[in-house]
């Protein structure tokens, strides 16, 4: 009898592969284990076992595996099923899902590059021979591939050795980011050893009889020591004694106290006392309503205004699932938000909380992976961004998707191009778990599902502690420019607001979305921006062709010489970013601290923490930032929020532009006045009478929803139509043009639904590759599976044509 296993490789190929194993291996191997296998002439990959059987492959001679890598499955059946769903729904290969799901240390391959960790010397006697050889090789070379390791060791079975060295912290994988922010050091105080005996203490107190404050401090120190088992931090000592840090210092100078530093442990979490809270009446009502909804629906929405205390409601809900012995997953749209949430959740749940995201090192991620796999008490609550969905849950009770409207839940590149909220709902269904979506500004899709009675709905309309929602004021910058009341990008009103807020010792957040990289044309006189007549999106300016084009239907006009509304010839292309705003502010307020939070300032593992901590500690007076700032952060001393140009948000060439603008402005406004004092929001705009701006002003989510859902229906967009976008790329302009036209034509012929394109996107060349896109709009009445099957078939025919084979095609389902 022959023995075979069916495996998936971490590659973008649709097929699975068959390898031959011995009888003993066959009996040992279980589905969900990893094996190292040869592939092609020289490559070695980590593959995942999907099946075992006795049938040899028909088209090729099965190769033998190199090695079994696990002694028990590290991927469970829930995951395999979920990954298959993702691959099929989002039209990618299972291998691509596998590749992005696992921490990279778990899918080593012959091409993986490793280097030695700096300043991490392991004594030679603790190293096995193989390990020693690898580290020796890395002394003469800064990095080597695993292929080279295979040569050095003279054998093919090297993954386990590498894994051991990774676990010992002696190696790092090339793609791991370096830690730029040093872990926080906490200052601790202890009594010098000589005073530790009882009789010495009496002596000491006599010695200090003339220094009353110092004597008091020493007594407090003893009190604290009796109460706390562990080390005593300076902060705690100062707090408890009410003495200042200078008194501590004088005792250090007298060699009575000694100072020392410890790294604040970020991974081992401590439960804090005083972390208990009770829900307000409104929160309690919302909580009860959620529970009732989740009995009837698998998915329910918590629509609660900013600072209504949604997090506390989530915590109480999660607690019930944990007590019932379940695992829970808390999804956030952005790593920037995990810091605060981790603090709040660990204060409550202690070390039952695990965190998973890409800024954690490979070892940390593998550790969390294994904790979840073992259903460990250390990972009852998992906080993560979208990739946390791939963890080996076996017993999920509930998934919370906070800020569910955020577009960052959708992965754009590389495949799988999945939407984490939607994939979470499918995952929950497999586990018979519940999903709670939360937002102050739900996505149209979700709210539509509520209206169609697919999801439950709970509303919470007041802020915690009855703090009033911020007062919003519009500033017409057209008028301000006209009256010469602008300093750089700041109106007089905005500057007054900033000045006054800082003078009160309070903080300011200024918002400028930087994503406006594609410039658009704007009339300086009246603010008019040319729009597409049939898509209702703004037209994008193409410098190269001197044209304005619609991204969605391909409509184009020559770049106008004058404004079509007011005839003015004063047209400009627009766009300014956070850096410019930061510079202007520094010039206006030279002696204030101006901070900036955007992708450039938050690199590195603790990049977000650094800025969020210093803003929270009030070391920054004005924080300028992009949409990162608009998401769920909680700062108690921010009383003013300024939006430099709301029109930037409205004029995005996207059918979601108005929905997003509404969400973004409401969210960023929600950062103001969260604790006691009512906040103030100043919005600069050329279009104070724009419907969306007016809806923001009157806090009218439903008004926005109704208007936008009508447009979506009219113009064939979600939730009435599903969008699938094909992107074709090639270095040769003409070949791409011809190929995409061919593809478009066969699609039009085979699909009885709208197919648009082939279109040149705003940025039509990236890294020397030209780009064309084709958009397919699938009505909810059409059969999705059949449509996708046809698209796949056409793609296969396309790739079978020799001159088009080199054109790369990517498919994005439910494009955002
Ligand atoms: P949201 O997520 O709805 O924007 P948060 O959960 O951040 O609001 O709550 C806003 C603020 O109110 C936070 O500082 C939070 O700690 C506080 N808060 C909310 N609910 C309670 C409660 N029941 N007890 C004490 N503080 C609360
Ligand atoms: Zn005009
Ligand atoms: Zn159009």
């Amino acid at each position: 009898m022959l023995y075979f296993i069916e495996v998936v490789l971490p590659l973008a190929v649709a097929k699975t592969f068959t390898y031959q194993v011995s009888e003993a291996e066959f009996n040992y191997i279980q589905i969900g284990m990893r094996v190292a296998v040869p592939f092609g002439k020289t490559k070695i990959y980590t593959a995942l076992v999907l099946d075992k059987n006795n049938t040899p492959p028909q088209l090729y001679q099965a190769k033998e595996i190199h090695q079994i890598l696990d002694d028990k499955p590290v991927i469970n059946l829930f995951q395999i099923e979920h990954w298959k769903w993702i691959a099929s729904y989002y039209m990618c290969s299972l291998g691509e899902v596998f590749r992005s799901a696992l921490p990279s240390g778990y899918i080593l391959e012959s091409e993986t590059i490793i280097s030695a960790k700096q300043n991490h010397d392991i004594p030679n006697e603790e190293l096995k021979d193989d390990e020693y050889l690898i580290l020796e090789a890395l002394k003469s070379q800064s990095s080597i591939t695993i292929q080279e390791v295979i040569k050095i060791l003279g054998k093919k079975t090297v993954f386990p050795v590498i894994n051991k060295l990774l676990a010992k912290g002696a190696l790092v994988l090339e793609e791991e980011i370096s830690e730029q922010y040093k872990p926080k050091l906490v200052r601790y105080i202890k009594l010098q050893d000589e005073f530790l005996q009882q009789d010495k203490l009496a002596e000491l107190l006599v010695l200090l009889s003339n220094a009353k404050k110092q004597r008091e401090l020493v007594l407090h120190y003893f009190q604290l020591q009796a109460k706390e088992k562990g080390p005593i931090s300076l902060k705690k000592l100062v707090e408890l004694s009410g003495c200042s840090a200078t008194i501590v210092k004088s005792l250090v100078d007298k060699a009575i106290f000694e100072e020392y530093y410890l790294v604040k442990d970020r991974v081992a979490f401590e439960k804090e006392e005083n972390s208990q809270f009770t829900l307000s009446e409104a929160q309690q009502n919302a909580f009860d309503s959620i529970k009732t909804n989740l009995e009837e629906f698998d998915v329910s929405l918590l629509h609660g205004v900013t600072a209504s205390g949604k997090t506390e409601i989530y915590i109480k809900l999660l607690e019930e699932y944990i007590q019932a012995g379940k695992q829970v997953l808390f999804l956030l749209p952005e790593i920037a938000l995990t810091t605060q949430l981790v603090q709040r959740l660990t204060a409550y749940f202690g070390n039952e909380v695990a965190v998973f995201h890409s800024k954690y090192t490979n070892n940390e991620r593998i550790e969390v992976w294994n904790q979840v796999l073992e259903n460990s008490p250390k990972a009852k609550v998992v906080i993560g961004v979208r990739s946390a969905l791939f963890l080996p849950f076996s017993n999920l009770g509930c998934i919370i998707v906070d800020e569910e409207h955020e577009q960052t839940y959708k992965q754009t590149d590389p495949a799988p191009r999945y939407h984490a909220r939607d994939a979470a709902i499918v995952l929950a269904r497999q586990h018979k778990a519940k999903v709670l979506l939360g937002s102050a500004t739900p996505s149209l899709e979700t709210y539509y599902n509520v209206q169609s009675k697919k999801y439950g709905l709970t509303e919470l309309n007041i802020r915690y502690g009855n703090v009033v929602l911020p007062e919003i004021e519009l500033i017409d910058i057209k008028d301000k420019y006209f009256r010469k009341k602008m300093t750089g990008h700041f109106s007089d009103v905005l500057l007054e607001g900033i000045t006054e807020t800082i003078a009160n010792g309070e903080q300011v957040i200024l918002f400028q979305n930087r994503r406006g990289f594609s410039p658009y044309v704007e009339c300086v006189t009246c603010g008019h921006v040319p729009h597409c007549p049939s898509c209702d999106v703004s037209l994008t300016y193409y410098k190269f062709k001197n044209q304005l084009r619609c991204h969605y239907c391909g409509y184009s006009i020559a770049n106008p010489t004058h404004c079509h509304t007011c005839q003015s010839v004063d047209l400009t292309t627009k766009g300014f970013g956070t850096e410019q705003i930061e510079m202007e502010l520094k010039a206006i307020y030279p002696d204030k601290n101006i901070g900036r939070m955007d992708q450039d300032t938050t690199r590195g593992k603790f990049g977000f923490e650094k800025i969020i901590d210093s803003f929270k500690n009030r070391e920054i007076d004005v924080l300028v930032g992009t949409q990162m700032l608009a998401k769920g952060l909680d700062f108690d001393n921010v009383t003013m929020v300024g939006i430099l140009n709301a029109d930037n948000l409205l004029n995005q060439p996207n059918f979601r532009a108005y929905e997003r603008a509404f969400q973004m402005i409401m969210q960023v406004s929600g950062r103001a006045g969260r604790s006691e004092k009512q906040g103030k929001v100043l919005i600069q705009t050329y279009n104070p009478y724009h419907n969306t701006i007016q809806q923001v002003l009157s806090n009218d989510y439903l008004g926005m929803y109704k208007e936008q859902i009508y447009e979506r229906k009219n113009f064939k967009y979600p939730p009435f139509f599903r969008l699938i976008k094909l992107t074709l790329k090639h270095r040769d302009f003409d070949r791409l043009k011809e190929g995409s036209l061919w593809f478009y034509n066969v699609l039009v012929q085979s699909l009885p639904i709208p197919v648009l394109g082939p279109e040149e996107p705003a940025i039509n060349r990236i890294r020397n590759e030209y780009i064309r896109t084709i958009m397919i709009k699938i009505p909810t009445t059409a059969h999705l599976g059949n449509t996708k099957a046809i698209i796949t078939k056409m793609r296969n025919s396309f790739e079978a044509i020799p001159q088009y084979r080199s054109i790369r095609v990517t498919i994005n389902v439910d494009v955002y």
Side-chain angles (χ1 to χ4, degrees):
M1 177 110 75
L2 296 173
Y3 299 93
F4 298 96
I5 55 170
E6 202 64 23
V7 304
V8 60
L9 295 172
L11 299 174
V13 283
K15 291 184 297 182
T16 56
F17 294 89
T18 311
Y19 283 85
Q20 188 162 6
V21 291
S22 70
E23 184 180 356
E25 285 171 330
F26 189 81
N27 291 331
Y28 189 81
I29 288 175
Q30 298 174 48
I31 292 170
M33 285 186 180
R34 294 168 308 134
V35 288
V37 298
F39 189 73
K41 279 212 182 72
T42 55
K43 295 206 165 143
I44 300 174
Y45 284 107
T46 297
L48 164 65
V49 180
L50 292 178
D51 201 8
K52 298 160 61 170
N53 58 52
N54 301 102
T55 14
Q58 301 205 322
L59 298 175
Y60 55 96
Q61 173 84 36
K63 289 185 185 171
E64 288 176 14
I65 66 167
H66 281 321
Q67 190 176 20
I68 301 172
L69 294 171
D70 297 312
D71 48 18
K72 57 181 194 309
V74 295
I75 286 117
N76 67 34
L77 299 180
F78 283 111
Q79 288 170 290
I80 294 177
E81 190 191 334
H82 190 231
W83 298 356
K84 283 183 175 166
W85 177 84
I86 290 182
S88 133
Y89 185 85
Y90 292 104
M91 301 180 77
C92 65
S93 76
L94 184 59
E96 287 171 305
V97 187
F98 171 49
R99 157 160 255 150
S100 69
L102 265 71
S104 41
Y106 259 173
I107 42 169
L108 296 177
E109 57 189 50
S110 42
E111 310 302 303
T112 307
I113 299 169
I114 52 172
S115 359
K117 180 105 160 230
Q118 297 299 311
N119 310 322
H120 190 92
D121 284 329
I122 300 182
N124 285 347
E125 55 276 14
E126 285 175 26
L127 293 172
K128 299 244 171 62
D129 289 352
D130 284 349
E131 297 173 351
Y132 175 79
L133 286 173
I134 296 172
L135 292 182
E136 272 304 298
L138 280 170
K139 280 184 183 153
S140 51
Q141 266 170 290
S142 65
S143 65
I144 52 178
T145 64
I146 290 186
Q147 192 78 57
E148 288 167 316
V149 174
I150 292 171
K151 284 200 197 112
I152 293 166
L153 301 186
K155 61 177 186 185
K156 301 220 148 146
T157 56
V158 304
F159 289 179
V161 190
I162 309 258
N163 269 323
K164 286 231 176 66
L165 284 174
L166 281 170
K168 284 182 184 172
L171 291 184
V172 283
L173 299 178
E174 186 80 338
E175 69 252 40
E176 282 189 60
I177 29 132
S178 56
E179 283 182 31
Q180 295 178 341
Y181 184 53
K182 291 270 182 316
K184 233 187 183 138
L185 290 177
V186 179
R187 207 192 313 182
Y188 289 91
I189 297 294
K190 69 176 184 196
L191 215 52
Q192 295 270 21
D193 289 346
E194 56 182 294
F195 298 109
L196 285 178
Q197 293 114 354
Q198 272 299 324
D199 49 336
K200 292 283 177 186
L201 171 66
E203 253 174 60
L204 177 63
L205 292 177
V206 173
L207 198 74
L208 292 177
S209 53
N210 285 334
K212 203 166 142 260
K213 278 267 166 71
Q214 296 180 8
R215 194 163 177 267
E216 228 172 79
L217 186 71
V218 171
L219 287 170
H220 276 297
Y221 174 85
F222 276 97
Q223 262 179 19
L224 249 180
Q225 205 185 34
K227 211 171 85 198
E228 307 254 324
K229 302 283 165 290
I232 295 169
S233 70
L234 174 69
K235 184 163 166 258
K236 228 181 205 149
L237 185 59
V238 169
E239 258 169 31
L240 185 104
S241 63
C243 300
S244 71
T246 24
I247 299 183
V248 181
K249 185 161 180 301
S250 50
L251 284 167
V252 172
D253 292 343
K254 284 188 181 170
I256 292 169
F257 278 146
E258 188 182 331
E259 276 183 330
Y260 62 106
Y261 292 84
L262 292 176
V263 174
K264 186 172 173 190
D265 195 346
R266 286 167 192 274
V267 186
F269 300 125
E270 295 274 325
K271 214 178 209 166
E272 277 171 32
E273 292 162 43
N274 311 332
S275 68
Q276 295 303 316
F277 56 86
T278 39
L279 297 180
S280 69
E281 198 187 329
Q283 283 173 318
Q284 186 63 43
N285 290 341
F287 179 78
D288 295 339
S289 146
I290 290 168
K291 285 188 59 180
T292 317
N293 278 333
L294 289 179
E295 278 164 26
E296 189 185 341
F297 300 98
D298 290 335
V299 184
S300 197
L301 169 69
L302 170 57
H303 181 198
V305 295
T306 53
S308 55
K310 293 187 286 296
T311 316
E312 283 67 21
I313 298 178
Y314 301 147
I315 289 176
K316 293 284 181 194
L317 188 71
L318 294 180
E319 190 172 32
E320 297 206 344
Y321 286 96
I322 295 172
Q323 277 167 0
K326 293 288 191 177
Q327 299 170 310
V328 297
L329 170 61
F330 195 130
L331 286 181
L332 286 167
E334 177 126 24
I335 296 174
L337 288 180
T338 52
T339 313
Q340 282 200 345
L341 189 75
V342 170
Q343 282 164 6
R344 284 164 82 171
L345 261 65
T346 51
Y348 195 84
F349 293 115
N351 59 9
E352 294 174 345
V353 179
V355 188
F356 190 82
H357 61 62
S358 60
K359 286 202 175 185
Y360 275 60
T361 64
N362 199 18
N363 278 347
E364 287 168 323
R365 275 184 282 162
I366 288 183
E367 201 175 311
V368 174
W369 185 283
N370 290 332
Q371 286 167 354
V372 174
L373 185 69
E374 287 150 18
N375 204 352
S376 146
K378 285 190 189 145
K380 286 188 182 160
V381 183
V382 177
I383 301 177
V385 295
R386 55 180 187 243
S387 58
L389 276 180
F390 295 123
L391 287 167
F393 296 103
S394 51
N395 186 25
L396 259 183
C398 179
I399 305 179
I400 304 235
V401 185
D402 195 17
E403 313 291 352
E404 67 83 29
H405 61 277
E406 278 294 339
Q407 69 188 88
T408 39
Y409 277 125
K410 177 74 158 90
Q411 169 147 323
T412 35
D413 264 315
R417 299 180 176 81
Y418 64 106
H419 195 297
R421 174 196 61 215
D422 301 343
I425 291 172
V426 174
L427 180 67
R429 202 181 301 142
Q430 288 173 352
H431 287 266
K432 302 201 168 26
K434 300 293 182 179
V435 179
L436 178 63
L437 308 176
S439 175
T441 52
S443 64
L444 286 198
E445 281 85 347
T446 293
Y447 210 76
Y448 182 75
N449 281 328
V450 166
Q451 302 265 307
S452 326
K453 301 274 177 273
K454 273 200 208 155
Y455 298 172
L457 172 67
T458 298
E459 302 207 54
L460 183 53
N461 292 322
I462 54 168
R463 285 189 150 181
Y464 177 73
N466 286 319
V467 183
V468 226
L469 281 166
E471 178 199 342
I472 302 180
E473 189 182 323
L474 301 179
I475 303 167
D476 183 343
I477 37 180
K478 184 176 34 164
D479 181 63
K480 293 291 179 191
Y481 273 112
F482 182 73
R483 294 173 196 277
K484 306 222 174 341
K485 291 277 171 60
M486 296 292 288
T487 313
H489 292 93
F490 294 88
S491 61
D492 52 349
V493 180
L494 184 54
L495 283 180
E496 275 159 29
I498 298 172
T499 309
E500 195 185 312
T501 310
I502 312 181
N504 286 340
E506 294 155 1
Q507 293 163 292
V508 178
I509 284 180
L510 290 181
F511 175 80
Q512 167 60 14
N513 84 319
R514 216 172 51 100
R515 285 181 314 124
F517 53 72
S518 56
Y520 58 93
V521 174
E522 187 180 85
C523 169
V524 176
T525 314
C526 77
H528 172 74
V529 173
H531 274 60
C532 173
S534 50
C535 299
D536 204 23
V537 292
S538 57
L539 295 172
T540 305
Y541 172 55
Y542 283 73
K543 205 168 185 166
F544 184 66
K545 285 190 170 169
N546 204 30
Q547 263 187 351
L548 301 184
R549 294 184 132 257
C550 169
H551 280 190
Y552 289 89
C553 67
Y555 170 84
S556 71
I557 51 171
N559 188 29
T561 50
H562 58 269
C563 172
H564 292 172
T565 305
C566 76
Q567 310 303 324
S568 161
V569 290
D570 207 355
L571 303 177
T572 59
T573 53
K574 274 281 175 170
F576 59 93
T578 43
E579 291 96 340
Q580 199 174 336
I581 295 304
E582 185 194 12
M583 276 171 52
E584 288 182 10
L585 272 177
K586 281 183 173 163
I588 302 172
Y589 300 102
D591 54 348
K592 297 293 170 194
N593 293 317
I594 316 293
R596 171 155 67 91
M597 182 161 142
D598 57 29
Q599 268 164 31
D600 305 322
T601 61
T602 51
R603 301 239 165 86
K605 185 172 172 188
F606 298 114
F608 296 118
E609 265 149 310
K610 202 166 51 172
I611 296 176
I612 290 173
D613 279 353
S614 46
F615 195 50
K616 191 127 201 163
N617 293 338
R618 308 184 183 185
E619 292 155 17
I620 295 175
D621 301 303
V622 184
L623 185 59
V624 184
T626 54
Q627 55 269 26
M628 265 178 204
L629 266 181
K631 297 172 190 175
L633 291 167
D634 187 34
F635 301 108
D636 59 357
N637 191 40
V638 172
T639 52
M640 198 197 109
V641 164
I643 296 173
L644 283 137
N645 184 339
D647 311 302
N648 266 343
L649 297 166
L650 296 168
N651 296 319
Q652 297 290 325
N654 185 304
F655 66 93
R656 294 183 201 273
Y658 295 165
E659 176 195 358
R660 273 193 199 149
F662 180 86
Q663 288 162 340
M664 203 91 85
I665 301 174
M666 293 302 281
Q667 291 289 343
V668 75
S669 305
R671 303 312 113 209
R674 292 172 70 87
S675 69
E676 283 157 22
K677 195 171 160 182
Q678 184 187 18
K680 183 159 189 116
V681 179
L682 297 175
I683 304 177
Q684 299 193 147
T685 173
Y686 279 106
N687 298 292
Y689 298 106
H690 192 287
N691 276 353
T692 307
I693 300 278
Q694 287 295 320
Q695 286 150 1
V696 166
L697 196 63
S698 51
N699 188 18
D700 185 12
Y701 175 81
L702 262 185
M704 185 282 294
Y705 171 79
K706 284 186 186 139
E707 183 188 52
Q708 291 307 311
I709 207 84
Y710 174 81
E711 301 279 307
R712 298 282 185 92
K713 194 167 193 169
N714 247 347
F715 292 109
K716 300 195 169 61
Y717 282 113
F720 306 99
F721 284 74
R722 281 173 201 279
L723 302 182
I724 296 185
K725 184 164 94 176
L726 309 183
T727 304
L728 293 85
K729 295 185 186 167
H730 199 272
R731 296 175 79 97
D732 181 336
F733 182 84
D734 293 320
R735 181 175 305 190
L736 177 70
K737 193 173 159 192
E738 203 188 292
S740 38
L741 197 60
W742 186 94
F743 205 155
Y744 166 79
N745 282 330
V746 294
L747 285 170
V748 170
Q749 281 155 25
S750 12
L751 292 171
I753 52 177
V755 180
L756 308 175
E759 151 113 26
E760 252 187 300
I763 301 177
N764 73 344
R765 197 168 71 143
I766 297 177
R767 286 185 212 98
N768 282 325
E769 277 186 320
Y770 290 94
I771 306 168
R772 294 266 160 144
T773 59
I774 298 171
M775 184 76 87
I776 302 161
K777 293 184 167 182
I778 310 174
T780 34
T781 47
H783 193 290
L784 190 60
N786 290 349
T787 310
K788 284 179 182 166
I790 292 171
I791 296 171
T792 306
K793 205 171 139 203
M794 294 306 134
R795 180 192 182 165
N796 291 341
S797 323
F798 179 75
E799 285 174 347
I801 298 172
Q803 70 266 35
Y804 300 151
R805 190 165 299 147
S806 56
I807 297 180
R808 280 193 303 129
V809 181
T810 56
I811 302 186
N812 192 340
V813 178
D814 293 345
V815 55
Y816 250 60

